[in-house]
Amino acid sequence: MAAQRSPPRARERERDRPGALASGNDQVHSWALVTSHALDTAWGIAKGSVMLAVSFLAAALCYFRRLHCHLGHRLKWWSGYLQRKFKRNLSVEAEVDVLSYCAREWKGDTPRAKLMRKAYEELFWRHHIKCVRQVKRDNYDALRSVLFQIFSQGLSFPSWMKEKDIVKWTEFSGIKDYHKRGSMCNILFSDAILEYKLYEALKFIMLYQVTEVYEQMKMKKVIPSLFRLLFSRETSSDPLSFMMNHLNSVGDTCGLEQIDMFILGYALEVKIKVFRLFKFNSRDFEVCYPEEPLREWPQISLLTENDRHYHVPVF
């Protein structure tokens, strides 16, 4: 006879016993712990991944920032190098407005700045100097300023020179077109080697003039007073001492002194008018070398702020 099945109520009572309830609660708790542990693990992994990604991104940003900065510096250096290599290095710069130049160079309320501003205003309003050409600052700049004026104006070479003695001068003096002379000046005054050769040639011209006058003095002829002053100095009592003690240093360690400017004017047969801005409101504001030329020599003009460096005024 088959076993009889428990009635439904009996089975329900059996499920409702305390043991069965405890077993069910343990299973639920176990699943909750597993789920919580899994979530914690997943969050830890996700958090670690996020932190790693953030750290990597920060390192990448720092690297690219440094790379950008480095490339910027290199690009700037190469840009400057290429500009220096392919751009003409003019030793006599283009014209700039004289009052704008003054405002840029002489700011502030110091007595010297105020004096310079008044001096430049005097040049603009009274002497009608509208622009200025800045000249490279070195120990040749007096010779450079004078030579630029002579070439840019197309002045003739001195009467005592032979045409074959100074071919470069002949090239400029024979050109009547102002703009063509200007282009040639830009070419010449961007060639440092040729420039220095010309300046050394000017020094020989000055020495030649001193030697000629010295011979005249020895023969008891009348000579300009400035040469008597030159030969009265122990360091320039004759042409050799003048060359050794003064002329040789021009361009290397010193520029032209005022007496040298007189000699240069005589040698080139030009009247060099210089506006000495630091002497504004005095009788020495305008000086000429030489003061009384022997003939009607052409005049060129320069300006200086300190008797050491010269610029070219443009009327």
Side-chain angles (χ1 to χ4, degrees):
M1 183 175 180
Q4 293 184 350
R5 299 177 61 184
S6 300
R9 289 183 178 275
R11 292 198 297 269
E12 290 178 1
R13 286 196 297 269
E14 187 177 347
R15 286 199 301 268
D16 292 338
R17 285 183 299 178
L21 291 173
S23 176
N25 290 337
D26 289 343
Q27 290 179 356
V28 171
H29 181 68
S30 177
W31 278 107
L33 288 176
V34 170
T35 303
S36 177
H37 181 71
L39 290 175
D40 289 342
T41 303
W43 170 247
I45 294 173
K47 184 178 179 181
S49 299
V50 170
M51 294 300 295
L52 181 62
V54 170
S55 300
F56 176 78
L57 181 60
L61 289 175
C62 183
Y63 170 78
F64 283 112
R65 183 178 181 182
R66 291 180 180 178
L67 179 62
H68 178 267
C69 184
H70 175 73
L71 291 177
H73 284 303
R74 296 301 298 173
L75 181 61
K76 184 176 181 181
W77 185 90
W78 276 106
S79 176
Y81 171 78
L82 292 176
Q83 287 181 2
R84 292 191 299 271
K85 185 174 181 62
F86 296 107
K87 182 181 178 181
R88 284 179 179 172
N89 184 24
L90 293 177
S91 58
V92 181
E93 297 183 12
E95 300 176 7
V96 295
D97 178 76
V98 67
L99 294 183
S100 298
Y101 168 79
C102 173
R104 183 179 72 242
E105 296 293 323
W106 294 101
K107 301 176 182 178
D109 295 323
T110 63
R112 184 172 179 80
K114 292 179 180 179
L115 179 70
M116 287 298 170
R117 289 198 293 268
K118 290 180 179 178
Y120 275 106
E121 289 174 1
E122 177 82 359
L123 295 182
F124 183 83
W125 294 110
R126 182 177 177 183
H127 299 279
H128 308 292
I129 295 175
K130 305 303 180 184
C131 297
V132 61
R133 286 180 176 268
Q134 290 180 261
V135 177
K136 180 180 178 181
R137 289 176 177 265
D138 60 17
N139 291 319
Y140 281 117
D141 65 354
L143 294 173
R144 180 180 292 111
S145 301
V146 170
L147 194 62
F148 178 86
Q149 286 280 64
I150 289 175
F151 283 173
S152 63
Q153 294 183 26
L155 301 182
S156 300
F157 49 83
S159 57
W160 57 268
M161 286 185 185
K162 295 179 181 180
E163 185 173 334
K164 64 179 182 180
D165 291 337
I166 187 160
V167 177
K168 180 59 67 176
W169 198 321
T170 307
E171 292 178 6
F172 282 87
S173 62
I175 298 174
K176 303 305 178 183
D177 183 82
Y178 171 80
H179 297 288
K180 188 174 182 180
R181 285 200 310 270
S183 298
M184 290 187 64
C185 281
N186 287 339
I187 295 173
L188 171 60
F189 289 93
S190 62
D191 187 337
I193 296 177
L194 179 56
E195 270 194 78
Y196 296 146
K197 288 180 180 179
L198 290 172
Y199 303 147
E200 291 300 316
L202 286 182
K203 289 163 62 175
F204 277 107
I205 291 173
M206 294 171 65
L207 180 61
Y208 174 84
Q209 186 67 61
V210 169
T211 303
E212 287 290 301
V213 175
Y214 184 74
E215 294 298 322
Q216 294 174 9
M217 184 182 69
K218 287 173 60 177
M219 292 186 292
K220 307 301 182 180
K221 292 184 178 181
V222 177
I223 63 173
S225 57
L226 77 95
F227 285 99
R228 292 191 179 278
L229 176 62
L230 175 71
F231 297 133
S232 67
R233 300 188 304 181
E234 294 183 0
T235 57
S236 59
S237 57
D238 55 62
L240 179 61
S241 61
F242 171 68
M243 180 186 70
M244 297 297 294
N245 298 325
H246 296 277
L247 206 53
N248 275 353
S249 301
V250 173
D252 294 328
T253 59
C254 67
L256 294 184
E257 299 178 8
Q258 281 190 280
I259 195 168
D260 299 326
M261 295 289 283
F262 279 106
I263 296 170
L264 183 62
Y266 268 103
L268 300 179
E269 294 186 355
V270 293
K271 185 177 182 179
I272 305 172
K273 184 175 184 178
V274 179
F275 295 96
R276 305 169 74 203
L277 304 188
F278 68 104
K279 294 290 186 179
F280 178 66
N281 273 343
S282 73
R283 58 179 297 180
D284 295 324
F285 177 62
E286 301 176 45
V287 295
C288 290
Y289 309 105
E291 293 180 349
E292 298 179 359
L294 299 179
R295 304 174 186 84
E296 290 300 320
W297 292 343
Q299 177 176 297
I300 63 174
S301 298
L302 309 178
L303 62 87
T304 178
E305 298 173 349
N306 51 22
D307 267 353
R308 293 190 303 275
H309 299 294
Y310 294 82
H311 296 306
V312 176
V314 181
F315 293 85

